[in-house]
Structure formats: structure tokens, C-alpha cells
Amino acid sequence: MEFTHFDKDGLPKMVDVTSKEPSFRVARASGKIFVGKDVIEAIENGLLPKGDVFATAKIAAINAAKKTFELIPLCHNIFLSFVDVSYRIDREEGYIEAVSEIKTEAKTGAEMEAITAVVIFLETVYDMCKAVKKDMVITDVRLIEKSGGKSGHYIFENENKTAKVVSINISRQKGTPKEPVSEAVLIENYGIEGDAHAGSSHRQVSLLDISSIKKMEQYGLKGLCFGKFAENITTENLDLQKISLGTKLKIGNNVLLEISQIGKKCHGSGCEIARSVGVCIMPKEGLFAKVLKGGKIKAGDIIEILNE
């Protein structure tokens, strides 16, 4: 193996990119800091003694990205044409997630600048909040995407992000809300045993991912119960980008579903959610499936996408 960062004498060296042509490059990185609900509440209510957490963290991240070559010895000094860091607060899980984006026209990539920006953003959040809490944890820092350059387009795929069943929900009578149950039996070419919406149509079972449900928080909905959107199976980490008509899902050891419809039009004036806040996620991101092979499922069962 030839090492690019060592010279013929075994001493460190910077890679020579003199002969390379500049190209447009983009790099994005992400990371989380688990701060807890008490810190999030203090941030949102302006109770932190050091002031505006996110404005300070963002300025720190931009400065750090521009100084990456000073921090990492063999990193090239490149001109950054754009630096930004966005963030989101997950109140339920108690963490803040940051995502950086770097753009440049250069002979080498901006991956290290993107990662540095995220790390310093999260460290600054820690520094701004440590008067309230010290056992905060920074985690999951990673390059999530880069484009441009010889190596081409890269997207991070989290192999450990396993899809699973979070809740199973049924309604005994049509027109009544679905309620969670601990387990259920799926019947081939029919649906869930005991669910009033089961039958021989192509929409035998409905699924909705918890990530879709959380999107509704921006419209003011809080504490949504599973089944509220009329989904039979609430999932977690089911990547909708890998789902298309005909995709097969294996749940647990035996059950096999085939996606038969993606999204649906709400009946009449819309579902309860749509009537209350004016929008519903089910028509866009709800999944419907036929049961190819029946069996028993329960919350916690692993979901496997068989044909991506």
C-alpha cells in the first residue's frame, strides 16, 4: 500500500495537488448533542446566562470551517465560497442536531471543513449550556454527503439504522379511531385480523413512519398517539426513498408485504388531523400494502426491505 501523506523518508507530507484542475465541490456533515429537555426548555425560554446559543454556535462554526487547515496539519488551505450550519431540536429525545454545508471551487474537497464546522457548532452549544447541565453528550458526527472531485458523489448510509415496528394499531369498527395493540395476526390477502378496514382490496395494511408523524409538530400538533393518522403499522427508520410500488417488506420472521399504493386522498373534508390543522402527512407519505404471507407481528419486530 502506498501512503499519500508520507514522503520517501517516511516523514509526513501534504499531498501535491498542483496539477489538478479546480472543480465545484459540496460537502455536508451532521452531528448531535444530547442536552436533555431541561436545557432545551432553558434555550427556548431565553434563560441561559451566556445569551443566544444558536447565533453564537453558528458564527463559531463558520469561523472554524475557514480555519480548518490551521487545525489539521496536512489539510489544504482552500477558498470556501459558502458555509452554513442549520439545526433542529428534537424535544422528545432531548437532542439538537446540526447539519453543515460547505461549497468551494477547489482542487481538493471540503469534507474536513464540513466536519469541523459541525464539531465546533456542537462544542459551542455545550459551552453555552454547561451552566445548566454538564453531562451533555456529543455523538454521531459524520460526513453525510460530498460531491465533486475524482471520487464523485458519496452519501453516507447508516447500516445500523434498522427499520422496525413501533406500534400496531387497529379499529374494530369503521369510523372509529385506531388503537394500539401489543401484537396482531396478519392474514394472507386480507389484512390484520380484527381490523375493520381489512379486506380483499389492494389496500389491506397501512404503514406510516414515525419520522413523518414528527413533521406534523411544526403545525402545532403535540403528543400524537400512534394510529392517529389511521395507520395500521407505525414504523421507525423506514427509508421512504427506497420504497416504490412493488417493494416487498419482511416483518419479523414470517410476514411478507408488498407495497401497493403510496399516499392517498383523504375522504370528503379530510381526516381528523387535516380538519384540525389544515394538513395531513398520510396523503403524501402513507404506505399501503397487500399481505403476501401472513403471520404474527409485534412492536419491536425488524422490518427488512427485500428489493430496493
Side-chain angles (χ1 to χ4, degrees):
M1 177 184 295
E2 182 179 353
F3 295 100
T4 59
H5 285 71
F6 291 98
D7 63 18
K8 59 182 177 56
D9 298 318
L11 299 175
K13 70 169 185 177
M14 179 182 283
V15 173
D16 188 352
V17 297
T18 305
S19 61
K20 296 178 67 175
E21 291 294 326
S23 63
F24 178 67
R25 301 166 186 263
V26 179
R28 297 172 64 238
S30 68
K32 298 177 181 177
I33 179 168
F34 282 84
V35 299
K37 296 181 180 180
D38 52 343
V39 172
I40 290 175
E41 184 177 344
I43 292 173
E44 293 179 332
N45 293 325
L47 300 177
L48 293 174
K50 289 191 175 183
D52 192 328
V53 172
F54 298 121
T56 305
K58 190 166 185 175
I59 293 171
I62 292 172
N63 285 338
K66 294 187 291 184
K67 293 178 176 292
T68 300
F69 73 98
E70 296 180 5
L71 303 172
I72 302 175
L74 304 181
C75 189
H76 292 84
N77 180 9
I78 61 176
F79 174 77
L80 304 183
S81 56
F82 178 79
V83 181
D84 191 29
V85 181
S86 59
Y87 67 90
R88 73 178 183 91
I89 299 173
D90 191 312
R91 297 173 184 83
E92 182 179 345
E93 299 294 331
Y95 68 79
I96 298 164
E97 181 177 32
V99 177
S100 67
E101 183 176 26
I102 310 288
K103 296 180 181 179
T104 182
E105 185 84 18
K107 296 182 178 184
T108 187
E111 295 96 317
M112 299 313 302
E113 286 76 6
I115 293 171
T116 300
V118 161
V119 170
I120 297 304
F121 183 97
L122 298 174
E123 284 191 24
T124 304
V125 170
Y126 185 99
D127 182 61
M128 297 289 287
C129 300
K130 65 185 181 183
V132 176
K133 186 175 184 179
K134 291 182 171 57
D135 58 344
M136 295 174 282
V137 177
I138 294 173
T139 185
D140 294 336
V141 175
R142 63 190 58 153
L143 178 73
I144 56 175
E145 185 177 8
K146 60 87 62 180
S147 62
K150 186 178 179 180
S151 61
H153 194 192
Y154 163 85
I155 297 178
F156 177 86
E157 293 187 7
N158 188 354
E159 296 178 356
N160 297 321
K161 198 172 184 180
T162 304
K164 64 180 181 180
V165 175
V166 175
S167 179
I168 305 163
N169 319 294
I170 67 172
S171 51
R172 303 291 180 181
Q173 295 179 342
K174 289 186 177 181
T176 61
K178 293 192 185 297
E179 299 290 341
V181 294
S182 59
E183 59 182 30
V185 174
L186 274 72
I187 301 173
E188 184 176 326
N189 198 33
Y190 181 74
I192 295 180
E193 185 178 52
D195 181 56
H197 295 86
S200 59
S201 73
H202 70 286
R203 289 185 357 199
Q204 297 168 3
V205 177
S206 57
L207 305 93
L208 187 66
D209 197 75
I210 196 170
S211 62
S212 298
I213 296 175
K214 287 182 177 181
K215 290 179 183 178
M216 295 299 295
E217 290 183 353
Q218 63 183 300
Y219 298 102
L221 294 178
K222 303 293 183 183
L224 293 174
C225 299
F226 298 134
K228 190 78 171 181
F229 291 84
E231 80 278 9
N232 288 125
I233 301 175
T234 312
T235 66
E236 183 176 29
N237 296 332
L238 189 62
D239 191 345
L240 296 179
Q241 294 183 350
K242 296 182 178 180
I243 302 293
S244 58
L245 292 179
T247 297
K248 293 181 176 61
L249 303 178
K250 181 182 178 184
I251 304 180
N253 296 323
N254 300 308
V255 172
L256 185 64
L257 305 180
E258 182 180 68
I259 300 300
S260 56
Q261 183 174 321
I262 300 175
K264 75 176 184 70
K265 184 178 180 181
C266 286
H267 298 294
S269 59
C271 66
E272 178 185 346
I273 298 294
R275 289 194 299 271
S276 61
V277 299
V279 67
C280 179
I281 204 70
M282 198 70 176
K284 291 184 178 180
E285 300 185 11
L287 301 175
F288 298 87
K290 297 184 295 184
V291 182
L292 300 184
K293 184 179 179 182
K296 182 179 289 187
I297 64 171
K298 63 183 184 304
D301 278 348
I302 300 301
I303 301 174
E304 181 181 359
I305 301 176
L306 297 184
N307 53 329
E308 301 177 8

